[in-house]
Amino acid sequence: MTLCGFIIAVMMILTINVTISVSTAQHHLQDMQTRVSQLKTSNTSHRQEANELQSRSRLDKIAKANGLVLSNDKIRNVDK
């Protein structure tokens, strides 16, 4: 009877320990998912900013402001 009581007590302690470990792991997973979501949002924002900075109209405007002109007759397209 005492042995059964001891085994049940040990199993209860182990169950509580596993429950705490699972809870901690879930909290860590949630933190990582939040961080991934933040990084994805940041990456999208940076991609959009990069696309805006390299837009044709912006580059033409900067070129004109610096006295540069596009001479289409001097441009060649080379294919392999």
Side-chain angles (χ1 to χ4, degrees):
M1 191 68 132
T2 305
L3 182 61
C4 286
F6 179 73
I7 291 173
I8 290 173
V10 168
M11 290 176 69
M12 288 172 46
I13 292 171
L14 290 176
T15 302
I16 292 170
N17 190 15
V18 168
T19 303
I20 291 171
S21 296
V22 168
S23 177
T24 302
Q26 285 176 336
H27 182 69
H28 183 68
L29 175 62
Q30 186 178 9
D31 288 345
M32 289 295 112
Q33 287 174 333
T34 301
R35 181 72 178 135
V36 166
S37 177
Q38 290 171 343
L39 288 173
K40 283 183 180 180
T41 301
S42 177
N43 286 345
T44 301
S45 176
H46 287 124
R47 276 191 208 103
Q48 181 179 359
E49 183 180 355
N51 288 335
E52 289 171 3
L53 290 174
Q54 63 185 351
S55 72
R56 174 78 182 212
S57 60
R58 180 179 177 275
L59 295 176
D60 286 342
K61 184 175 141 184
I62 292 171
K64 285 181 184 178
N66 289 297
L68 301 172
V69 292
L70 180 61
S71 183
N72 285 330
D73 56 334
K74 295 182 180 178
I75 296 175
R76 290 188 186 180
N77 290 330
V78 179
D79 294 322
K80 287 186 176 182

